[in-house]
């Protein structure tokens, strides 16, 4: 049986966050888990901890993964014994992560929430936003609202680490050439497609229209799922200005990889944009 699902919001400045967040694509966490399971999560979590130690001289006690998806990193932190909270807009992602945490015998707090406005039961020390999910904040207003919400939910020594596209991605980089790859688990085979084209880049609205697709085979079943959505283009100077506008955070550093010795620069070794924000010491913690 072939099933086709597609959603094509209008390109350009009329895109709104709600219309443009690949919501249909993220309704299938079981596919996401297989297709995006290629990352070295253990090494990335090592880096995130090393980064916290670098700025704070100690380990964090509590970790929040924002826009967690299937929560690869949340799960790894929980397995290492940290108190973890994970948040996502998509109920299917949170239900899937709840099941995954249970099957690994670990506990975490899970929240279906919009990253532009959320309240945690208790402030956390380390917040994460990985794999360019921050770029689903399409407008300056959304970015500022999100930074303020995150800051409110951080403890006084809190750190917020973001993983964004490297700036060159918007100027002919690999984001503008959709990539195809195939991943399998058991009898589930997924051909995934992710990426934009030069035509999908709107330099005025600062949005990139990204095609996302899963072509799934499971035994004799087939399913094709295609969706277009938007990501915000963000350059370091603009991000710095928005952090300043939001208040509450100090921009500590930009790195070009999950590597404290790799600055964000134009070299090939610098291929993503890692941003470290720290909560201002004089910023009050939430009551
Ligand atoms: C590319 S996935 C990344 C998941 C995860 N960060 C990772 O590293 O695998 C993007 C996730 O962002 C979530 N998302 C998009 N907009 C959101 C919002 N406004 N608030 C919370 N989550 C959001 C989606 O539901 C999806 O699960």
């Amino acid at each position: 049986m072939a099933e086709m699902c597609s959603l094509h919001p209008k390109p350009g400045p009329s895109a709104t966050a709600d219309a443009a967040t690949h919501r249909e694509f993220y309704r299938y966490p079981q596919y996401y888990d297989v297709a995006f399971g290629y990352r070295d999560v253990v090494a990335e979590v090592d880096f995130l901890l090393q980064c916290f130690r670098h700025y704070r001289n100690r380990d964090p006690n509590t970790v929040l993964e924002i826009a967690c998806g299937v929560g690869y990193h949340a799960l790894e932190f929980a397995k290492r014994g940290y108190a973890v909270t994970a948040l996502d807009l998509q109920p299917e992602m949170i239900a899937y992560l709840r099941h995954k945490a249970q099957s690994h015998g670990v506990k975490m707090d899970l929240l279906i929430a919009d990253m532009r406005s959320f309240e945690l039961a208790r402030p956390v020390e380390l917040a994460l936003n990985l794999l360019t999910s921050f770029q689903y904040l399409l407008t300056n207003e959304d970015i500022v609202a999100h930074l303020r919400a995150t800051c409110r939910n951080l403890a006084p020594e809190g750190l917020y680490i973001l993983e964004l596209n490297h700036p060159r991605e918007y100027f002919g980089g690999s984001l503008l050439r959709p990539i195809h790859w195939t991943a399998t688990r058991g009898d589930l085979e997924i051909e995934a497609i992710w990426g934009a084209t030069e035509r999908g880049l709107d330099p005025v609205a600062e949005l990139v229209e990204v095609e996302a697709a899963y072509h799934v085979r499971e035994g004799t079943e087939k399913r094709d799922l295609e969706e277009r959505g938007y990501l915000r283009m963000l350059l370091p100077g603009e991000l710095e200005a928005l952090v300043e506008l939001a208040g509450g955070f100090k921009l500590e550093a930009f790195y070009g990889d999950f590597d404290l010795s790799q600055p964000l620069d134009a070299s090939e070794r610098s291929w993503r944009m890692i941003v470290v924000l720290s909560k201002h010491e004089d910023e009050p913690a939430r009551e």
Side-chain angles (χ1 to χ4, degrees), residues 41-51 53 76-77 80:
V41 174
V42 169
E44 292 184 4
V45 167
D46 285 347
F47 165 81
L48 296 162
L49 286 169
Q50 189 194 6
C51 194
R53 288 175 197 132
E76 178 61 23
F77 273 104
R80 296 188 193 193

Side-chain angles (χ1 to χ4, degrees), residues 17 21-23 26 32 36 39 65-73 87-90 93 113-116 129-133 136-137 163 194:
T21 54
H22 286 130
R23 296 214 51 181
Y26 294 131
Y32 185 94
F36 291 85
R39 290 136 81 199
E65 184 171 6
I66 297 174
C68 62
V70 299
Y72 299 110
H73 300 76
L87 163 168
D88 200 278
L89 190 59
Q90 204 78 19
M93 289 290 190
D114 192 317
M115 62 176 150
R116 293 170 292 183
N129 198 324
L130 304 173
L131 207 64
T132 74
S133 309
Y136 282 124
L137 300 162
E163 178 190 10
W194 181 266

Side-chain angles (χ1 to χ4, degrees), residues 9 13-23 89 114-116 135-139 142-143 207 229-230:
S14 60
T16 67
D18 288 337
T21 54
H22 286 130
R23 296 214 51 181
L89 190 59
D114 192 317
M115 62 176 150
R116 293 170 292 183
Q135 291 166 241
Y136 282 124
L137 300 162
L138 301 184
T139 63
D142 282 351
I143 290 174
L207 297 179
Y230 295 92

Side-chain angles (χ1 to χ4, degrees), residues 92-165:
E92 292 86 350
M93 289 290 190
I94 293 299
Y96 185 85
L97 180 53
R98 176 169 290 115
H99 180 73
K100 230 166 114 172
Q102 277 164 2
S103 64
H104 282 86
V106 293
K107 287 203 172 128
M108 60 177 82
D109 290 330
L110 292 166
L111 203 64
I112 300 166
D114 192 317
M115 62 176 150
R116 293 170 292 183
S117 57
F118 63 91
E119 291 294 337
L120 304 182
R122 283 170 298 282
V124 291
E125 292 186 330
L126 172 60
L128 317 166
N129 198 324
L130 304 173
L131 207 64
T132 74
S133 309
F134 185 87
Q135 291 166 241
Y136 282 124
L137 300 162
L138 301 184
T139 63
N140 289 352
E141 289 75 14
D142 282 351
I143 290 174
V144 167
H146 164 69
L147 287 170
R148 288 180 178 160
T150 306
C151 196
R152 267 199 314 277
N153 286 286
L154 273 185
E157 291 215 319
L159 223 61
Y160 186 26
I161 304 178
L162 314 174
E163 178 190 10
L164 309 181
N165 280 130

